[in-house]
Protein backbone atom coordinates (compact mmCIF):
# COMPACT_ATOMS: atom_id res chain seq x y z
CA UNK A 1 0.00 0.00 0.00
CA UNK A 2 1.85 3.07 -1.25
CA UNK A 3 0.18 5.73 0.91
CA UNK A 4 1.08 8.41 3.41
CA UNK A 5 -1.22 8.02 6.43
CA UNK A 6 -1.49 10.18 9.54
CA UNK A 7 -2.93 8.49 12.63
CA UNK A 8 -4.27 10.91 15.25
CA UNK A 9 -3.97 9.43 18.74
CA UNK A 10 -1.49 6.95 20.22
CA UNK A 11 -3.53 4.78 22.52
CA UNK A 12 -3.80 1.08 21.80
CA UNK A 13 -6.28 1.76 18.97
CA UNK A 14 -4.00 4.31 17.32
CA UNK A 15 -0.81 2.30 17.84
CA UNK A 16 -2.28 -0.94 16.50
CA UNK A 17 -3.91 0.89 13.58
CA UNK A 18 -0.51 2.37 12.72
CA UNK A 19 1.18 -1.02 13.06
CA UNK A 20 -1.31 -2.76 10.77
CA UNK A 21 -1.09 -0.03 8.12
CA UNK A 22 2.70 -0.01 8.30
CA UNK A 23 2.82 -3.78 7.82
CA UNK A 24 0.79 -3.21 4.64
CA UNK A 25 3.53 -0.87 3.40
CA UNK A 26 2.06 2.54 4.23
CA UNK A 27 4.23 5.41 5.44
CA UNK A 28 2.64 6.20 8.80
CA UNK A 29 2.97 9.22 11.07
CA UNK A 30 1.35 9.05 14.52
CA UNK A 31 0.42 12.29 16.30
CA UNK A 32 -0.21 12.16 20.04
CA UNK A 33 -1.22 15.26 22.01
CA UNK A 34 0.41 13.96 25.21
CA UNK A 35 2.49 10.85 25.91
CA UNK A 36 2.01 7.62 24.01
CA UNK A 37 -0.57 5.32 25.59
CA UNK A 38 -1.06 7.33 28.78
CA UNK A 39 -4.81 7.89 28.56
CA UNK A 40 -7.58 5.28 28.54
CA UNK A 41 -5.27 2.51 27.28
CA UNK A 42 -3.01 2.84 30.32
CA UNK A 43 -5.82 3.35 32.82
CA UNK A 44 -8.06 0.38 31.99
CA UNK A 45 -8.18 -3.09 33.49
CA UNK A 46 -7.44 -5.09 30.36
CA UNK A 47 -10.08 -7.84 30.61
CA UNK A 48 -10.24 -9.40 27.14
CA UNK A 49 -14.04 -9.57 27.25
CA UNK A 50 -16.85 -7.09 27.69
CA UNK A 51 -17.83 -7.16 31.37
CA UNK A 52 -21.35 -8.32 30.46
CA UNK A 53 -21.07 -9.58 26.87
CA UNK A 54 -24.72 -10.62 26.63
CA UNK A 55 -25.81 -6.98 27.10
CA UNK A 56 -24.17 -5.85 23.86
CA UNK A 57 -25.31 -5.84 20.25
CA UNK A 58 -24.14 -8.29 17.60
CA UNK A 59 -21.80 -5.56 16.31
CA UNK A 60 -19.78 -5.48 19.54
CA UNK A 61 -19.92 -9.26 19.88
CA UNK A 62 -18.43 -9.79 16.41
CA UNK A 63 -15.44 -7.55 17.17
CA UNK A 64 -14.97 -9.07 20.62
CA UNK A 65 -14.93 -12.68 19.44
CA UNK A 66 -12.43 -11.97 16.65
CA UNK A 67 -10.16 -10.08 19.05
CA UNK A 68 -10.34 -12.68 21.81
CA UNK A 69 -9.21 -15.37 19.39
CA UNK A 70 -6.42 -13.15 18.02
CA UNK A 71 -4.91 -11.78 21.24
CA UNK A 72 -2.60 -14.72 22.06
CA UNK A 73 -0.86 -14.57 18.67
CA UNK A 74 -0.63 -10.78 18.85
CA UNK A 75 1.13 -11.08 22.21
CA UNK A 76 3.48 -13.75 20.91
CA UNK A 77 4.33 -11.64 17.87
CA UNK A 78 5.06 -8.57 19.96
CA UNK A 79 7.17 -10.53 22.44
CA UNK A 80 9.19 -12.08 19.62
CA UNK A 81 9.83 -8.75 17.89
CA UNK A 82 10.35 -6.47 20.91
CA UNK A 83 11.22 -8.66 23.90
CA UNK A 84 8.30 -7.08 25.79
CA UNK A 85 5.59 -9.48 26.95
CA UNK A 86 2.07 -7.93 27.07
CA UNK A 87 1.21 -10.75 29.49
CA UNK A 88 -2.01 -12.15 28.09
CA UNK A 89 -3.00 -14.00 31.26
CA UNK A 90 -5.76 -16.61 30.85
CA UNK A 91 -7.55 -17.08 34.17
CA UNK A 92 -11.23 -17.43 33.36
CA UNK A 93 -13.89 -15.18 34.91
CA UNK A 94 -16.56 -15.81 37.56
CA UNK A 95 -19.73 -13.69 37.62
CA UNK A 96 -21.27 -13.84 41.11
CA UNK A 97 -24.95 -13.36 42.01
CA UNK A 98 -25.76 -12.06 38.55
CA UNK A 99 -29.41 -10.94 38.30
CA UNK A 100 -29.69 -11.91 34.61
CA UNK A 101 -27.91 -15.26 34.89
CA UNK A 102 -30.48 -17.07 32.73
CA UNK A 103 -30.11 -14.46 30.00
CA UNK A 104 -26.33 -14.83 30.11
CA UNK A 105 -26.50 -18.61 29.78
CA UNK A 106 -28.97 -18.35 26.92
CA UNK A 107 -26.63 -15.91 25.13
CA UNK A 108 -23.70 -18.28 25.63
CA UNK A 109 -25.62 -21.15 24.09
CA UNK A 110 -26.56 -19.04 21.06
CA UNK A 111 -23.00 -17.76 20.62
CA UNK A 112 -21.38 -21.11 21.45
CA UNK A 113 -19.23 -19.55 24.18
CA UNK A 114 -17.97 -21.67 27.12
CA UNK A 115 -20.06 -19.99 29.81
CA UNK A 116 -21.68 -22.31 32.35
CA UNK A 117 -23.33 -22.36 35.73
CA UNK A 118 -21.07 -23.48 38.58
CA UNK A 119 -22.05 -24.70 42.04
CA UNK A 120 -21.08 -21.99 44.53
CA UNK A 121 -19.21 -24.53 46.68
CA UNK A 122 -16.95 -25.26 43.71
CA UNK A 123 -16.27 -21.54 43.34
CA UNK A 124 -15.17 -21.26 46.98
CA UNK A 125 -12.93 -24.31 46.47
CA UNK A 126 -11.38 -22.71 43.37
CA UNK A 127 -11.12 -19.20 44.86
CA UNK A 128 -10.58 -19.65 48.63
CA UNK A 129 -10.04 -15.91 49.21
CA UNK A 130 -13.54 -15.07 47.95
CA UNK A 131 -15.72 -13.22 50.45
CA UNK A 132 -18.67 -14.93 52.14
CA UNK A 133 -22.32 -14.73 51.23
CA UNK A 134 -22.36 -15.30 47.48
CA UNK A 135 -25.09 -17.73 46.41
CA UNK A 136 -24.66 -18.46 42.70
CA UNK A 137 -22.09 -18.17 39.94
CA UNK A 138 -21.41 -18.62 36.27
CA UNK A 139 -17.94 -19.13 34.84
CA UNK A 140 -16.33 -18.66 31.45
CA UNK A 141 -13.08 -20.51 30.92
CA UNK A 142 -10.51 -19.04 28.58
CA UNK A 143 -11.17 -15.37 29.42
CA UNK A 144 -7.84 -13.57 29.64
CA UNK A 145 -6.58 -10.21 30.76
CA UNK A 146 -3.81 -8.27 29.09
CA UNK A 147 -1.41 -6.06 31.03
CA UNK A 148 -2.30 -2.92 29.15
CA UNK A 149 0.72 -0.75 30.06
CA UNK A 150 2.99 -3.51 28.78
CA UNK A 151 0.87 -3.87 25.63
CA UNK A 152 1.35 -0.13 24.99
CA UNK A 153 5.11 -0.46 25.53
CA UNK A 154 5.32 -3.46 23.20
CA UNK A 155 3.35 -1.75 20.43
CA UNK A 156 5.45 1.41 20.80
CA UNK A 157 8.67 -0.58 20.58
CA UNK A 158 7.38 -2.47 17.54
CA UNK A 159 6.55 0.80 15.77
CA UNK A 160 9.95 2.30 16.60
CA UNK A 161 11.53 -0.72 14.95
CA UNK A 162 9.79 0.00 11.63
CA UNK A 163 11.48 2.36 9.15
CA UNK A 164 8.16 3.54 7.70
CA UNK A 165 6.67 4.81 11.00
CA UNK A 166 7.22 8.10 12.84
CA UNK A 167 5.67 8.79 16.24
CA UNK A 168 5.30 12.39 17.47
CA UNK A 169 4.44 13.00 21.13
CA UNK A 170 3.31 16.40 22.47
CA UNK A 171 1.88 17.00 19.01
CA UNK A 172 -1.46 18.80 19.06
CA UNK A 173 -3.72 18.31 16.04
CA UNK A 174 -5.83 21.46 15.68
CA UNK A 175 -7.82 20.52 12.58
CA UNK A 176 -7.88 18.95 9.16
CA UNK A 177 -6.51 20.26 5.87
CA UNK A 178 -8.49 19.94 2.62
CA UNK A 179 -7.55 19.98 -1.02
CA UNK A 180 -9.30 18.91 -4.24
CA UNK A 181 -12.42 17.82 -2.37
CA UNK A 182 -10.79 15.58 0.24
CA UNK A 183 -8.81 15.63 3.48
CA UNK A 184 -5.12 15.96 2.65
CA UNK A 185 -3.53 16.27 6.07
CA UNK A 186 -3.69 17.80 9.54
CA UNK A 187 -2.79 21.13 11.07
CA UNK A 188 -0.41 20.43 13.98
CA UNK A 189 1.34 22.37 16.74
CA UNK A 190 4.53 21.13 18.40
CA UNK A 191 7.27 22.73 20.48
CA UNK A 192 8.83 23.93 17.24
CA UNK A 193 5.65 25.69 16.09
CA UNK A 194 2.66 25.15 13.80
CA UNK A 195 2.75 23.39 10.45
CA UNK A 196 0.75 21.21 8.08
CA UNK A 197 1.38 17.49 7.95
CA UNK A 198 0.28 16.19 4.56
CA UNK A 199 -1.23 12.75 3.98
CA UNK A 200 -3.22 10.67 1.54
CA UNK A 201 -5.45 9.57 4.43
CA UNK A 202 -5.99 10.61 8.06
CA UNK A 203 -7.26 8.16 10.69
CA UNK A 204 -8.82 9.65 13.83
CA UNK A 205 -8.14 7.44 16.87
CA UNK A 206 -8.25 10.12 19.56
CA UNK A 207 -10.54 8.34 22.01
CA UNK A 208 -12.57 10.68 24.20
CA UNK A 209 -11.13 13.68 22.33
CA UNK A 210 -12.28 12.54 18.87
CA UNK A 211 -15.52 14.51 18.99
CA UNK A 212 -13.67 17.77 19.66
CA UNK A 213 -11.66 17.35 16.47
CA UNK A 214 -14.65 16.46 14.32
CA UNK A 215 -16.42 19.59 15.57
CA UNK A 216 -13.86 21.60 13.59
CA UNK A 217 -15.64 20.17 10.53
CA UNK A 218 -19.10 20.94 11.97
CA UNK A 219 -19.71 17.25 12.56
CA UNK A 220 -21.14 15.92 15.82
CA UNK A 221 -19.62 12.60 16.89
CA UNK A 222 -21.60 11.15 19.83
CA UNK A 223 -18.48 10.30 21.82
CA UNK A 224 -17.93 11.79 25.27
CA UNK A 225 -15.42 11.29 28.09
CA UNK A 226 -16.56 8.87 30.81
CA UNK A 227 -14.30 8.78 33.85
CA UNK A 228 -13.26 5.49 35.40
CA UNK A 229 -11.25 5.04 38.61
CA UNK A 230 -9.24 1.97 39.65
CA UNK A 231 -7.15 0.82 42.59
CA UNK A 232 -4.20 -1.58 42.62
CA UNK A 233 -3.17 -3.92 45.46
CA UNK A 234 0.03 -5.95 45.85
CA UNK A 235 -0.45 -9.55 46.94
CA UNK A 236 1.30 -12.90 46.65
CA UNK A 237 1.55 -14.28 43.12
CA UNK A 238 -0.92 -17.10 43.84
CA UNK A 239 -3.41 -14.95 45.80
CA UNK A 240 -6.20 -14.87 43.19
CA UNK A 241 -6.37 -17.66 40.59
CA UNK A 242 -9.24 -16.21 38.53
CA UNK A 243 -10.95 -12.93 37.74
CA UNK A 244 -14.13 -12.33 39.74
CA UNK A 245 -16.99 -9.89 39.18
CA UNK A 246 -19.93 -8.98 41.42
CA UNK A 247 -22.24 -5.96 41.73
CA UNK A 248 -20.59 -4.19 38.82
CA UNK A 249 -17.06 -4.36 40.28
CA UNK A 250 -14.26 -6.74 39.33
CA UNK A 251 -10.90 -7.98 40.56
CA UNK A 252 -8.19 -8.86 38.05
CA UNK A 253 -5.04 -10.81 38.99
CA UNK A 254 -1.76 -10.03 37.25
CA UNK A 255 0.91 -12.71 37.02
CA UNK A 256 3.12 -11.02 39.61
CA UNK A 257 0.42 -10.79 42.30
CA UNK A 258 -0.89 -7.30 41.63
CA UNK A 259 -4.70 -7.16 41.90
CA UNK A 260 -6.65 -4.50 40.00
CA UNK A 261 -10.09 -3.54 41.33
CA UNK A 262 -12.43 -1.33 39.31
CA UNK A 263 -14.13 0.62 38.24
CA UNK A 264 -16.33 3.69 38.50
CA UNK A 265 -18.48 5.13 35.73
CA UNK A 266 -18.60 8.94 35.99
CA UNK A 267 -19.87 11.57 33.57
CA UNK A 268 -17.73 14.51 34.70
CA UNK A 269 -16.31 15.86 31.43
CA UNK A 270 -12.54 15.89 31.06
CA UNK A 271 -11.85 15.80 34.81
CA UNK A 272 -9.35 13.00 35.48
CA UNK A 273 -8.69 13.74 39.14
CA UNK A 274 -8.99 10.66 41.39
CA UNK A 275 -11.35 11.23 44.30
CA UNK A 276 -11.43 10.06 47.91
CA UNK A 277 -15.10 9.11 47.51
CA UNK A 278 -14.29 6.72 44.63
CA UNK A 279 -11.32 5.31 46.55
CA UNK A 280 -13.52 4.43 49.52
CA UNK A 281 -16.19 2.95 47.25
CA UNK A 282 -13.65 0.81 45.39
CA UNK A 283 -12.06 -0.35 48.63
CA UNK A 284 -15.49 -1.37 49.98
CA UNK A 285 -16.14 -3.41 46.84
CA UNK A 286 -12.67 -4.94 47.00
CA UNK A 287 -13.06 -6.01 50.63
CA UNK A 288 -16.51 -7.48 49.96
CA UNK A 289 -15.14 -9.52 47.07
CA UNK A 290 -11.82 -10.45 48.65
CA UNK A 291 -11.69 -9.67 52.40
CA UNK A 292 -7.96 -10.46 52.64
CA UNK A 293 -7.29 -7.31 50.59
CA UNK A 294 -7.89 -5.33 53.79
CA UNK A 295 -4.39 -6.46 54.81
CA UNK A 296 -2.85 -5.78 51.39
CA UNK A 297 -0.97 -2.65 50.36
CA UNK A 298 -2.73 -0.22 48.02
CA UNK A 299 0.00 0.68 45.54
CA UNK A 300 -2.02 2.77 43.11
CA UNK A 301 -5.24 4.73 42.56
CA UNK A 302 -5.90 6.50 39.28
CA UNK A 303 -8.53 7.69 36.83
CA UNK A 304 -8.86 7.61 33.06
CA UNK A 305 -11.35 8.79 30.45
CA UNK A 306 -13.18 6.25 28.32
CA UNK A 307 -14.57 7.30 24.92
CA UNK A 308 -18.27 6.82 25.67
CA UNK A 309 -20.48 6.05 22.66
CA UNK A 310 -24.09 4.98 22.06
CA UNK A 311 -24.42 1.28 22.96
CA UNK A 312 -20.63 0.99 22.89
CA UNK A 313 -20.52 0.48 19.11
CA UNK A 314 -17.34 2.07 17.74
CA UNK A 315 -17.08 4.22 14.62
CA UNK A 316 -14.89 2.48 12.04
CA UNK A 317 -14.68 3.65 8.44
CA UNK A 318 -14.47 6.67 6.17
CA UNK A 319 -16.40 9.88 6.86
CA UNK A 320 -18.56 10.21 3.71
CA UNK A 321 -18.67 14.02 3.78
CA UNK A 322 -14.86 14.20 3.94
CA UNK A 323 -13.11 11.59 1.76
CA UNK A 324 -9.68 10.75 3.12
CA UNK A 325 -10.80 11.07 6.75
CA UNK A 326 -11.31 7.79 8.60
CA UNK A 327 -12.55 7.02 12.10
CA UNK A 328 -11.52 4.30 14.53
CA UNK A 329 -12.90 5.57 17.83
CA UNK A 330 -15.76 5.41 20.33
CA UNK A 331 -15.03 2.00 21.88
CA UNK A 332 -16.34 3.08 25.31
CA UNK A 333 -15.42 0.43 27.93
CA UNK A 334 -14.06 -2.09 25.42
CA UNK A 335 -11.14 -0.45 23.65
CA UNK A 336 -8.62 -3.07 24.73
CA UNK A 337 -11.11 -5.88 24.10
CA UNK A 338 -12.01 -4.75 20.59
CA UNK A 339 -8.67 -3.30 19.45
CA UNK A 340 -7.31 -6.17 17.31
CA UNK A 341 -10.51 -6.57 15.28
CA UNK A 342 -11.23 -2.84 15.04
CA UNK A 343 -7.75 -2.03 13.79
CA UNK A 344 -7.69 -4.90 11.32
CA UNK A 345 -11.10 -3.88 9.97
CA UNK A 346 -9.97 -0.26 9.55
CA UNK A 347 -6.83 -1.41 7.75
CA UNK A 348 -8.86 -3.67 5.47
CA UNK A 349 -11.22 -0.84 4.54
CA UNK A 350 -8.50 1.75 3.97
CA UNK A 351 -6.34 -0.62 1.91
CA UNK A 352 -9.22 -2.03 -0.13
CA UNK A 353 -8.81 -5.57 1.24
CA UNK A 354 -11.73 -7.89 1.98
CA UNK A 355 -12.95 -6.92 5.49
CA UNK A 356 -12.62 -9.48 8.28
CA UNK A 357 -16.26 -8.89 9.30
CA UNK A 358 -19.22 -6.97 7.90
CA UNK A 359 -18.24 -3.29 8.30
CA UNK A 360 -21.78 -1.88 7.98
CA UNK A 361 -22.65 -1.60 11.72
CA UNK A 362 -19.59 0.57 12.42
CA UNK A 363 -19.75 2.87 9.38
CA UNK A 364 -19.82 6.59 10.25
CA UNK A 365 -22.39 7.22 7.48
CA UNK A 366 -25.71 8.13 9.08
CA UNK A 367 -24.30 8.09 12.63
CA UNK A 368 -22.81 11.60 12.78
CA UNK A 369 -24.74 14.74 13.55
Amino acid sequence: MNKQVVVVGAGVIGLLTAFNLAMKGAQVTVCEQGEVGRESSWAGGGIVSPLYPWRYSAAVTALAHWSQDFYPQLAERLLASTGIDPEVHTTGLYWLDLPEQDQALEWAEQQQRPLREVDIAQVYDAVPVLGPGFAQAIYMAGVANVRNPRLVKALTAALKGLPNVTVHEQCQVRGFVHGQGRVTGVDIVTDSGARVLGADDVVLCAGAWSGDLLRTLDLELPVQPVKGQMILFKCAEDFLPSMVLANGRYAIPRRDGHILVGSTLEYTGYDKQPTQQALESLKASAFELLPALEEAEVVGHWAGLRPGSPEGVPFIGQVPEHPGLWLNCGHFRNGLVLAPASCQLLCDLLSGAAPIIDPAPYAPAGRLG
Side-chain angles (χ1 to χ4, degrees):
M1 181 170 56
N2 186 25
K3 284 190 171 190
Q4 298 270 353
V5 182
V6 169
V7 174
V8 182
V12 165
I13 298 291
L15 294 172
L16 191 51
T17 295
F19 182 78
N20 287 351
L21 291 170
M23 297 307 290
K24 282 272 193 178
Q27 293 285 331
V28 183
T29 302
V30 181
C31 298
E32 167 55 45
Q33 66 177 351
E35 297 177 54
V36 166
R38 292 296 296 185
E39 294 293 348
S40 182
S41 297
W42 182 87
I47 301 176
V48 186
S49 170
L51 289 184
Y52 303 97
W54 49 87
R55 295 181 185 176
Y56 286 93
S57 67
V60 172
T61 298
L63 291 171
H65 287 180
W66 195 95
S67 294
Q68 286 165 328
D69 293 340
F70 186 75
Y71 249 114
Q73 67 188 82
L74 173 63
E76 289 171 11
R77 183 177 186 179
L78 290 171
L79 175 59
S81 63
T82 69
I84 301 170
D85 186 0
E87 294 188 10
V88 174
H89 185 30
T90 303
T91 65
L93 172 59
Y94 289 98
W95 286 265
L96 305 165
D97 289 354
L98 185 70
E100 73 265 36
Q101 180 166 303
D102 290 343
Q103 177 191 341
L105 292 169
E106 183 180 339
W107 171 89
E109 186 175 354
Q110 291 172 349
Q111 296 291 328
Q112 298 184 309
R113 305 308 280 183
L115 180 67
R116 58 186 176 86
E117 187 173 3
V118 184
D119 184 87
I120 197 67
Q122 293 180 337
V123 181
Y124 279 102
D125 287 342
V127 188
V129 291
L130 187 65
F134 294 105
Q136 62 179 14
I138 54 176
Y139 176 71
M140 189 184 290
V143 180
N145 65 79
V146 62
R147 198 155 186 173
N148 33 309
R150 294 183 63 88
L151 175 62
V152 166
K153 287 179 183 176
L155 285 168
T156 304
L159 289 175
K160 287 182 177 177
L162 296 175
N164 53 330
V165 177
T166 305
V167 179
H168 294 302
E169 294 183 298
Q170 309 302 329
C171 177
Q172 182 75 41
V173 174
R174 297 191 299 186
F176 305 97
V177 179
H178 287 75
Q180 298 183 326
R182 60 180 288 115
V183 169
T184 57
V186 291
D187 179 17
I188 65 170
V189 179
T190 66
D191 290 343
S192 56
R195 65 187 176 97
V196 169
L197 196 58
D200 298 306
D201 293 281
V202 175
V203 187
L204 183 58
C205 305
W209 290 264
S210 298
D212 294 348
L213 274 168
L214 279 188
R215 249 174 244 118
T216 67
L217 301 175
D218 292 324
L219 291 174
E220 279 298 322
L221 176 75
V223 171
Q224 63 177 315
V226 183
K227 182 176 177 178
Q229 299 189 49
M230 312 271 292
I231 52 176
L232 183 68
F233 296 88
K234 184 66 176 80
C235 302
E237 289 183 20
D238 60 352
F239 173 77
L240 183 63
S242 175
M243 294 180 282
V244 291
L245 189 158
N247 300 317
R249 297 279 169 85
Y250 52 79
I252 305 170
R254 301 303 199 201
R255 287 181 185 168
D256 63 3
H258 281 98
I259 307 294
L260 272 171
V261 174
S263 67
T264 64
L265 203 62
E266 306 167 58
Y267 292 82
T268 54
Y270 288 102
D271 169 33
K272 289 193 300 179
Q273 190 66 31
T275 65
Q276 188 65 29
Q277 181 181 3
L279 177 61
E280 296 306 320
S281 174
L282 289 166
K283 279 184 176 180
S285 295
F287 302 158
E288 181 183 5
L289 263 178
L290 306 166
L293 288 180
E294 290 197 57
E295 307 301 321
E297 179 188 3
V298 176
V299 293
H301 170 216
W302 63 86
L305 299 177
R306 311 174 185 90
S309 59
E311 299 179 351
V313 178
F315 296 79
I316 307 170
Q318 190 164 209
V319 178
E321 301 92 337
H322 297 275
L325 176 58
W326 301 75
L327 305 184
N328 192 4
C329 54
H331 294 75
F332 204 175
R333 304 189 77 172
N334 295 312
L336 286 156
V337 185
L338 307 181
S342 297
C343 298
Q344 185 60 54
L345 178 59
L346 186 283
C347 185
D348 290 343
L349 295 171
L350 195 150
S351 66
I356 53 165
I357 57 175
D358 178 10
Y362 322 100
R367 299 177 67 202
L368 305 179

